[in-house]
């Protein structure tokens, strides 16, 4: 996965800065892939199509995808939730740019058969758009 860190609304050559050099500025990651999913509200890049681990998930808004990695998100505090596949510790995730909730992250699964989800992310299809 090729990525570039760029400040919002930046044009021209880009210098990649370390966290210490950004001095509190928020930088978005721009993905470089043949198919990129973004936030439906603001089009901020969230995930590469190639990072989908499973398309067989449901969220509050219907169809959802399990991703191995996502970018440009904020995470809420962890909370324990009973879901259709058992009890999990999850965090809601929201778009870093517009703050819209786009899914959740699995921190912990109590059922052995569900452990593969730990550290992965659900993005709800209804809350996404295809950016590229």
């Amino acid at each position: 996965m090729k990525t570039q860190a760029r400040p919002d609304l930046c044009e021209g050559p880009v210098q990649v800065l370390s966290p210490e050099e950004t001095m509190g500025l928020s930088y978005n990651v721009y993905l470089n892939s043949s198919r990129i999913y973004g936030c439906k509200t603001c089009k901020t890049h969230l995930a590469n199509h190639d990072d989908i681990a499973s398309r067989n998930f449901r969220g509050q808004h219907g169809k959802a995808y399990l991703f191995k990695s996502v970018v440009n998100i904020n995470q809420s505090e962890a909370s324990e939730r009973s879901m259709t596949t058992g009890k999990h510790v999850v965090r809601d995730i929201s778009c870093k740019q517009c703050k819209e909730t786009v899914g959740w992250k699995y921190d912990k699964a109590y059922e052995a058969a569900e452990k593969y989800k730990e550290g992965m992310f659900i993005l709800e299809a209804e809350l996404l758009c295809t950016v590229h």
Side-chain angles (χ1 to χ4, degrees):
M1 167 174 62
K2 294 180 182 178
T3 60
Q4 291 180 311
R6 291 178 38 174
D8 299 338
L9 305 175
C10 178
E11 294 182 17
V14 175
Q15 179 183 5
V16 178
L17 302 174
S18 71
E20 295 80 21
E21 296 172 304
T22 63
M23 296 181 60
L25 295 176
S26 179
Y27 285 76
N28 282 342
V29 174
Y30 290 82
L31 300 170
N32 184 11
S33 177
S34 61
R35 190 166 181 190
I36 297 167
Y37 294 100
C39 173
K40 187 176 183 179
T41 303
C42 70
K43 313 290 188 272
T44 296
H45 291 194
L46 297 174
N48 281 319
H49 179 77
D50 295 338
D51 287 332
I52 294 177
S54 176
R55 293 178 185 83
N56 193 25
F57 279 80
R58 305 285 297 171
Q60 294 175 346
H61 302 280
K63 189 175 185 175
Y65 308 116
L66 182 68
F67 283 87
K68 295 177 237 174
S69 67
V70 297
V71 296
N72 300 321
I73 56 141
N74 293 319
Q75 299 180 34
S76 71
E77 292 296 317
S79 64
E80 198 170 85
R81 292 189 197 154
S82 293
M83 303 178 127
T84 56
T85 55
K87 196 175 283 190
H88 296 80
V89 176
V90 298
R91 299 170 186 268
D92 287 332
I93 58 174
S94 58
C95 173
K96 184 169 83 170
Q97 188 69 36
C98 71
K99 312 296 186 240
E100 194 73 32
T101 299
V102 292
W104 65 87
K105 177 185 179 186
Y106 287 102
D107 280 353
K108 180 177 174 70
Y110 292 101
E111 303 289 330
E114 303 300 315
K115 291 280 188 191
Y116 74 95
K117 298 176 187 174
E118 292 181 349
M120 292 196 193
F121 303 84
I122 290 288
L123 293 177
E124 298 199 47
E126 181 65 28
L127 307 175
L128 302 176
C129 66
T130 302
V131 178
H132 189 273

